Amino acid sequence: MRSTRTRADRPDWLGAAGLLDRPVPLRQGIGKVHEAVTTSSPEAQGFYDQGLAYLHSFVWIEAARSFHQALRLDPSLAMAFLGLSDAYIGLQDFRRRAPHLTKHNRSLETPTSGSERG
């Protein structure tokens, strides 16, 4: 028998204090992806790149955790907001995607060096 529960009925185990907000270490062997972004933190850049590697591998939860970690280190890292919204799309959590996309768009309104585009 098929379940009639919808995504909205499921427990919020990915929520604000849940799995996606847990810190994640920088890992080796998940792929080599680098996209230079505007940040003064080399560690934030590393977590952003790790998030991209996970995103390109369809590992949505680890991508979201990596982008969250990048944002902990540099809260103005616009591209991490965009990556986070992409991870939420992969998780089919459209409700959580919208605020991150809004933050990305707002952060682009402030002047940058031009190396970061959304």
Side-chain angles (χ1 to χ4, degrees):
M1 175 178 249
R2 193 164 185 211
S3 172
T4 59
R5 291 180 72 180
T6 65
R7 188 169 280 280
D9 296 329
R10 294 180 189 158
D12 191 12
W13 57 274
L14 295 174
L19 181 64
L20 298 182
D21 285 329
R22 291 183 190 165
V24 62
L26 276 175
R27 297 192 173 113
Q28 300 296 317
I30 59 168
K32 299 215 183 257
V33 177
H34 177 70
E35 181 180 332
V37 292
T38 303
T39 182
S40 59
S41 169
E43 196 173 8
Q45 174 73 61
F47 281 106
Y48 173 78
D49 289 342
Q50 177 172 289
L52 278 182
Y54 279 127
L55 200 62
H56 294 173
S57 299
F58 309 104
V59 183
W60 313 119
I61 291 173
E62 293 303 309
R65 290 177 66 199
S66 297
F67 291 128
H68 272 296
Q69 191 68 30
L71 287 166
R72 281 187 200 85
L73 296 165
D74 184 351
S76 66
L77 182 51
M79 292 302 288
F81 286 117
L82 186 61
L84 196 51
S85 72
D86 286 344
Y88 283 125
I89 289 171
L91 290 166
Q92 297 183 4
D93 192 342
F94 304 108
R95 181 176 48 92
R96 281 202 182 88
R97 174 199 183 251
H100 297 293
L101 192 55
T102 300
K103 289 176 186 175
H104 166 262
N105 291 337
R106 283 189 191 143
S107 66
L108 289 179
E109 292 172 0
T110 58
T112 62
S113 67
S115 63
E116 182 171 331
R117 292 183 176 39

